[in-house]
Amino acid sequence: SAVISQKPSRDICQRGTSLTIQCQVDSQVTMMFWYRQQPGQSLTLIATANQGSEATYESGFVIDKFPISRPNLTFSTLTVSNMSPEDSSIYLCSVAGQGVTIDTQYFGPGTRLTVL
Amino acid sequence: AQRVTQPEKLLSVFKGAPVELKCNYSYSGSPELFWYVQYSRQRLQLLLRHISRESIKGFTADLNKGETSFHLKKPFAQEEDSAMYYCALISPRGQGGSEKLVFGKGTKLTVNP
C-alpha cells in the first residue's frame, strides 16, 4: 500500500486567486491522479500525471485552469487558478503503482477548498 | 459513454437487517466493476472488485450483465458498515488517453442500532 498526504487539508480562498495543492507519497509510484468531488457529486477525474510526461486532462478540464506538476515519482502538485465559487470542492490525489491495475488506487485524504 | 448510476443517495437500515446498495452501469463490452468505501473521517478505499468474486467484511457483489447491475449486498448489516459507498468501473483508454475509473455519485449507508 501507499501512504499519501495532501497539503493543505483545507483552505478558504478569495475569488480570482490561485491555490496549489501538494500530494506526497511515501513510495515511488508510476501514476498519480487528481480528482474533484463537488458537493453532492461523484468523484470526477481531472487529469492523470505520470512522471516525465505532460499531464493528460479529461474532457472539461484544461491546463490553464488546473496546471499540474510531477517533478518526481513521489510528488505532484495541482494548482486551481483564477478561482471562482464554482471551484469549491474537495480535491483528491490518488496513486497507482507500477505493475498494478488502475483499480488498485490509493487515495489521499483530500483538500477541501472553499472559494468566496 | 461509460456511466455508473447509484439511484439511492441515502439508505438507512437497522442493525442485523439485510442491505443492498444498488449500482447500474452502461458500458459497451465486458466491464470491470468495483465498490469503494469511505468511512467517516477516513479516506476512500477499495472494498471489492467483481473479478475477484470475493467477500469483504461480509459484503458481496455479483455482476449481472443482463440487468447491467452490480449491487452490493450484506445479509446482516452492522453499525460499523455506516459509510459512503461508491460504485465504479474502469473506462478504457480513449485516444491518447489512459484508463480511468468512473465513479457513481455514491450512497450514504446508515446502519441504526
Side-chain angles (χ1 to χ4, degrees), chain B residues 15-33:
Chain B
K15 176 182 173 181
V19 63
E20 180 180 72
L21 292 93
K22 291 184 168 50
C23 172
N24 291 90
Y25 65 90
S26 62
Y27 185 92
S28 54
S30 294
E32 291 184 60
L33 284 146

Side-chain angles (χ1 to χ4, degrees), chain A residues 3-5 33 35 37 40-43 45 48 56 58 92 101-105 107-109, chain B residues 9 32 34 36 38 43-46 49 86 90 96-106:
Chain A
V3 178
I4 305 165
S5 60
F33 308 91
Y35 289 87
Q37 186 175 24
Q41 301 297 313
S42 181
L43 285 83
L45 182 64
T48 302
T56 304
E58 297 299 311
L92 290 159
T101 54
I102 198 169
D103 60 290
T104 316
Q105 289 186 38
F107 286 84
Chain B
K9 208 170 185 178
E32 291 184 60
F34 313 89
Y36 283 79
Q38 187 169 24
R43 57 194 69 190
L44 191 65
Q45 57 187 293
L46 178 66
R49 48 172 72 88
Y86 295 92
I90 290 182
S98 56
E99 290 183 324
K100 64 179 180 180
L101 280 173
V102 175
F103 288 88
K105 290 189 176 183

Side-chain angles (χ1 to χ4, degrees), chain A residues 7-8 10-14 16-22 65-67 77-83 91 111-115:
Chain A
K7 288 182 183 179
R10 59 177 62 222
D11 206 342
I12 301 173
C13 301
Q14 296 296 321
T17 62
S18 297
L19 176 72
T20 295
I21 302 168
Q22 299 179 6
K65 175 68 176 176
F66 297 101
T77 67
L78 170 77
T79 299
V80 186
S81 303
N82 188 25
M83 288 184 285
Y91 291 86
T111 295
R112 184 181 293 272
L113 171 62
T114 302
V115 184

Side-chain angles (χ1 to χ4, degrees), chain B residues 16-78:
Chain B
V19 63
E20 180 180 72
L21 292 93
K22 291 184 168 50
C23 172
N24 291 90
Y25 65 90
S26 62
Y27 185 92
S28 54
S30 294
E32 291 184 60
L33 284 146
F34 313 89
W35 278 98
Y36 283 79
V37 61
Q38 187 169 24
Y39 300 102
S40 178
R41 294 190 182 86
Q42 295 186 31
R43 57 194 69 190
L44 191 65
Q45 57 187 293
L46 178 66
L47 179 62
L48 57 80
R49 48 172 72 88
H50 94 269
I51 199 169
S52 302
R53 299 188 65 81
E54 57 204 343
S55 173
I56 304 293
K57 299 184 178 182
F59 284 98
T60 58
D62 291 319
L63 178 62
N64 186 323
K65 290 186 179 181
E67 296 182 358
T68 59
S69 68
F70 187 57
H71 303 327
L72 184 68
K73 301 176 184 178
K74 186 169 182 176
F76 307 104
Q78 303 299 314

Side-chain angles (χ1 to χ4, degrees), chain A residues 2 25-31 70 72-75 95-98:
Chain A
V25 191
D26 68 342
S27 58
Q28 295 185 339
V29 293
T30 307
M31 294 183 284
R70 181 80 200 274
N72 55 52
L73 291 172
T74 63
F75 187 77
V95 305
Q98 191 167 10

